[in-house]
Amino acid sequence: MLASPNESGDARRSRYVTVCQQLLALALVLAALTPAAQTITMDVRPVSPSAGEHAGTRLHEAAATVPTAPVDPEVEEYSLTAPQGARLAPGALRASSRRTTAGGQQLTSDAVPVDGYGAIGVTWQHGAELEHDAITVTARTYDDGAWSGWTDVEYHDEHGPDPGSDEALRARPGTEALLVGDVDEVQVRIATEAAAPADMKLAVVDPGEARTTTREKPAIDTSTLDTDENAGVIESSEGDLTQRAAVTATKPKIFSRAQWGADESIRDKGSLHYYEVHAGFVHHTVNANDYTRAQVPSIIRGIYAYHVRSRGWSDVGYNFLVDRFGRIWEGRAGGVDRPVVGAHTLGYNDNAFAASAIGNFETARPSKAMIKAYGRLFAWKLSLHGVSANDAKQYVSSRNFKAINGHRDAGSTACPGINLYNKIGRIRTLATEAQQGWRGRELESSLIGNARPDLVLRRASDGKVFLRQIVPAKDGSGYRLGKKVATNLVLPDAGMILKAGDWNLDGYGDLIAKQGGDLWLYAGQGRGKFAAPTRLATGFGQVAKLAAVGDFTGDGKPDLMGQPKGGSMRIYPGNGASGLKASYAAYSPIKGTKQIPAGRWDGDGAPDTFVRTRSALTLYLGNGPGGLTTKKSMSLAIGSYNWLLGVSDVDLTGHGDLVARTRRTGELWVIPGTTSGFKAPVSIAGSGAEYDLVG
């Protein structure tokens, strides 16, 4: 029976944002890799970095002057053409127009006032499609009694939410936001190959001014992130994931949305959704290049306001922004560690993230600090989702890309500017150097302590727990159960025994037993012996399909996954001997009787899992820090088996396998697994009939 254990205390919950950080050098982290996937919300729980500095990845933790409260930006829009089929009152159009001899049209706006550290952009009617070279927009500013020269306002038809998405239904085509700064007036000039599009508007953005500011270091420490329990669940969808095994890396510090003064009331919170991350794209904002450190928050607010209030997007389009000082800023809301779908790379948003460099890199060269920041960011973000930074073949929505790309690799655009695009090879190198391989995502199946997987078996007659390895038969045909290794555990009242991997990170495999609604950790001591139990968690009485699934969150610590009665499948992130961190949804509700951990079954960097019914087995692929995505029905007859569990490589072919027990006879089988399915079952000599519980 479970003895009366000493409780370790309530499981500690770390929160998403920590504020005080110190200067430190980033180091290599041997951590686990999570995959890319459609799920949902993801949680990252990285291990602490070591003291050594990795080449090219010194953490630049310069503080920033940031608002102490949200700042409300203002957008003033001036009509330049009438909406389709409508007329505007005399004087409502703020532009003069003339036809060109080539059949096109040229518009010149009125000079309009600019308030604050302003930005401008031009948009037109939803659904009006213009090729990027079919329109030219330039702007000039008036300040100190004189007009500037004309400056290009960039337009790329490859920026925006994906067609068919809810966000795209209200999106307006338009130019990029151009920073004009502290000037008195602005004027735009537009030349089109044909008639100008309907409902064209000039947007002038005042990013607002913070009433009070403070000096802060980055608020988001990616090594201590906690989950957003309110993040939404994404339903499953079919598709092919072709990620390679990858790794986790150094953990950057990121300035939060609050630190650039985001007014969260203006974005569409209901449109936040998640999918997969297979690759990353480098963009540039096409803004000015000579901004100061203190001006960065207002620049981001201007982009945010223009994207939301003029372009009609649900939030700022980019997942991250990087300034010329090497500082990383959180872009679109939803969690920097999760696969938040943005509006950045048209047609590829569902399967990628984007970081935009603040500046115009057609005309300027990116700083070394900016390039190093990109290397850190991409190393970490890709590794969370199971992607190697140097991977040359990642399937993104409809075609293959490298793991790290420029926006121009996805479409006809100059973005991210030739000078930044020429540095993408360097970014790949830095990101690859910052990633370090680690096999912690494999199923850890040996408690005895060698390469052969073993089973944890409870004898029905007395509740004693034994370990038995699966070893080759002496005649070379099939397998047999190795000798019994007695543990010091007697658990007749346990309803479940889980092989938890190295839960407390001391180098030995551990067990978790479930008794009623409580979970107890039995820390391994090697050679089949275990320490006295400590309570990990309570309240698991109504959690079905509970399984120890390995490191789903990519922080180097094993995790649990289960489905509360009436709820969605959830991740319960492990926190070592301290218990569990806050759970979060990993998938919509899954029908079935039992969850069976699968390790990295499909060969990418993400752990996967099976769910069985009485007669069918379904594989659910993992997507990154803690989620499931594509499901696949497996062609395997399992109706005669009452035991079915995932183990590591029994046949030593480099892939996980299953162990099954025939319900009627107690006969045991190895079912060799492959990335495409299963081989024929192979008998294990030695009956499992005397045991009533297996782990």
Side-chain angles (χ1 to χ4, degrees):
M1 295 182 60
L2 283 169
S4 192
N6 295 323
E7 297 188 18
S8 62
D10 293 336
R12 291 175 293 183
R13 306 274 195 258
S14 22
R15 284 321 304 163
Y16 181 157
V17 177
T18 60
V19 179
C20 192
Q21 301 299 335
Q22 62 183 6
L23 260 169
L24 58 92
L26 275 185
L28 297 177
V29 177
L30 296 181
L33 202 191
T34 71
Q38 159 207 359
T39 29
I40 319 188
T41 76
M42 314 221 280
D43 203 323
V44 177
R45 326 201 177 294
V47 295
S48 299
S50 60
E53 176 194 347
H54 198 279
T57 59
R58 180 180 295 276
L59 180 60
H60 182 84
E61 285 193 54
T65 300
V66 300
T68 58
V71 181
D72 185 18
E74 296 183 3
V75 180
E76 189 74 34
E77 293 189 314
Y78 302 91
S79 293
L80 306 180
T81 61
Q84 188 73 40
R87 292 184 179 181
L88 294 179
L93 295 181
R94 302 296 298 271
S96 59
S97 172
R98 68 178 180 84
R99 293 286 180 178
T100 65
T101 56
Q105 188 174 358
Q106 182 168 300
L107 295 168
T108 303
S109 79
D110 295 348
V112 298
V114 177
D115 294 320
Y117 195 66
I120 62 128
V122 176
T123 67
W124 47 92
Q125 186 159 302
H126 171 78
E129 297 182 3
L130 268 70
E131 297 291 335
H132 76 280
D133 55 358
I135 184 171
T136 300
V137 182
T138 56
R140 65 176 183 169
T141 59
Y142 184 79
D143 193 41
D144 289 335
W147 283 100
S148 70
W150 291 95
T151 300
D152 288 339
V153 184
E154 297 287 335
Y155 163 62
H156 303 292
D157 58 350
E158 303 291 337
H159 282 174
D162 287 346
S165 66
D166 289 344
E167 190 172 5
L169 295 177
R170 59 185 179 276
R172 288 172 59 88
T175 69
E176 301 303 303
L178 175 69
L179 181 70
V180 294
D182 289 312
V183 297
D184 296 327
E185 292 181 316
V186 68
Q187 188 176 33
V188 296
R189 187 168 61 193
I190 300 158
T192 58
E193 291 183 345
D199 199 21
M200 184 172 278
K201 295 179 180 180
L202 167 61
V204 181
V205 181
D206 173 4
E209 186 174 350
R211 293 184 178 181
T212 58
T213 60
T214 187
R215 192 81 173 154
E216 291 181 352
K217 291 180 180 178
I220 301 174
D221 177 356
T222 59
S223 68
T224 60
L225 290 184
D226 204 350
T227 183
D228 175 3
E229 295 186 76
N230 297 316
V233 176
I234 303 299
E235 297 295 328
S236 60
S237 68
E238 299 303 325
D240 180 35
L241 296 180
T242 58
Q243 296 156 212
R244 304 289 188 273
V247 296
T248 50
T250 49
K251 311 299 190 294
K253 305 295 193 296
I254 301 172
F255 287 92
S256 69
R257 289 171 61 88
Q259 289 181 299
W260 52 261
D263 180 355
E264 302 294 359
S265 68
I266 73 173
R267 67 179 175 92
D268 179 7
K269 298 180 179 62
S271 69
L272 171 65
H273 65 294
Y274 303 83
Y275 201 69
E276 302 174 355
V277 168
H278 294 203
F281 286 97
V282 177
H283 289 245
H284 69 158
T285 64
V286 207
N287 270 310
N289 299 302
D290 58 353
Y291 53 86
T292 66
R293 294 175 183 272
Q295 289 167 340
V296 171
S298 66
I299 292 173
I300 300 174
R301 289 198 303 275
I303 296 170
Y304 174 48
Y306 178 64
H307 284 181
V308 174
R309 289 181 164 164
S310 293
R311 298 296 303 273
W313 301 352
S314 63
D315 196 348
V316 64
Y318 310 114
N319 300 100
F320 303 93
L321 297 101
V322 182
D323 66 30
R324 68 189 183 100
F325 310 105
R327 301 177 301 184
I328 303 168
W329 299 80
E330 179 184 16
R332 181 161 288 213
V336 294
D337 56 328
R338 299 175 178 83
V340 178
V341 175
H344 45 78
T345 311
L346 191 70
Y348 304 103
N349 293 307
D350 274 357
N351 297 126
F353 75 98
S356 194
I358 300 175
N360 184 344
F361 297 100
E362 279 293 309
T363 59
R365 296 183 182 276
S367 66
K368 290 182 179 179
M370 175 178 278
I371 298 305
K372 289 182 179 181
Y374 264 105
R376 294 194 305 273
L377 175 63
F378 276 64
W380 168 74
K381 180 63 175 175
L382 288 171
S383 68
L384 289 178
H385 303 282
V387 181
S388 294
N390 64 349
D391 203 327
K393 190 177 181 181
Q394 283 290 316
Y395 192 75
V396 182
S397 297
S398 61
R399 52 177 278 210
N400 288 318
F401 286 89
K402 294 180 179 180
I404 299 175
N405 312 273
H407 185 194
R408 64 172 61 187
D409 294 321
S412 300
T413 173
C415 184
I418 188 62
N419 294 314
L420 181 53
Y421 186 76
N422 287 340
K423 292 293 185 180
I424 289 180
R426 178 60 178 160
I427 292 170
R428 289 193 191 108
T429 298
L430 290 172
T432 300
E433 290 174 350
Q435 289 185 333
Q436 180 84 15
W438 188 63
R439 293 178 59 84
R441 296 188 155 254
E442 305 287 359
L443 289 177
E444 299 179 57
S445 293
S446 178
L447 290 166
I448 293 175
N450 58 35
R452 290 284 175 185
D454 47 34
L455 304 179
V456 181
L457 298 161
R458 184 180 68 182
R459 190 162 61 191
S461 61
D462 57 11
K464 288 186 177 180
V465 176
F466 298 90
L467 305 179
R468 301 191 70 173
Q469 286 190 305
I470 304 170
V471 297
K474 291 182 178 180
D475 62 2
S477 62
Y479 302 95
R480 63 183 176 86
L481 284 179
K483 66 178 182 180
K484 292 180 181 178
V485 175
T487 71
N488 55 326
L489 303 181
V490 182
L491 305 174
D493 294 335
M496 175 181 289
I497 300 175
L498 303 175
K499 295 182 71 173
D502 186 8
W503 187 272
N504 61 1
L505 306 180
D506 66 353
Y508 296 106
D510 306 315
L511 295 179
I512 292 176
K514 180 182 177 184
Q515 180 178 351
D518 295 344
L519 300 182
W520 299 90
L521 174 67
Y522 291 81
Q525 299 174 321
R527 300 184 180 276
K529 303 304 179 184
F530 297 87
T534 58
R535 179 152 42 198
L536 285 181
T538 61
F540 276 77
Q542 298 296 310
V543 177
K545 295 182 278 291
L546 184 66
V549 290
D551 179 22
F552 250 78
T553 59
D555 65 349
K557 299 177 184 178
D559 306 307
L560 303 179
M561 187 185 296
Q563 185 165 299
K565 184 177 181 180
S568 299
M569 183 66 78
R570 299 185 72 82
I571 289 287
Y572 298 88
N575 196 24
S578 298
L580 301 171
K581 297 183 181 180
S583 71
Y584 57 93
Y587 204 73
S588 50
I590 297 176
K591 294 181 179 179
T593 58
K594 184 176 177 61
Q595 182 180 187
I596 303 160
R600 296 188 298 114
W601 193 269
D602 67 342
D604 68 8
D608 309 308
T609 196
F610 292 107
V611 174
R612 73 165 294 180
T613 62
R614 181 177 176 86
S615 60
L617 188 67
T618 301
L619 174 66
Y620 290 83
L621 300 179
N623 79 327
L628 303 174
T629 178
T630 309
K631 65 179 181 180
K632 177 182 178 182
S633 296
M634 308 301 290
S635 298
L636 182 65
I638 64 171
S640 62
Y641 302 133
N642 62 345
W643 285 1
L644 197 64
L645 64 152
V647 295
S648 63
D649 194 9
V650 176
D651 57 0
L652 303 181
T653 63
H655 195 280
D657 304 310
L658 297 179
V659 170
R661 185 179 76 169
T662 302
R663 179 179 291 103
R664 184 174 57 85
T665 64
E667 186 175 6
L668 297 173
W669 305 86
V670 170
I671 306 176
T674 70
T675 55
S676 59
F678 299 97
K679 299 177 183 178
V682 180
S683 178
I684 302 174
S687 174
E690 67 176 301
Y691 305 107
D692 65 349
L693 199 60
V694 65

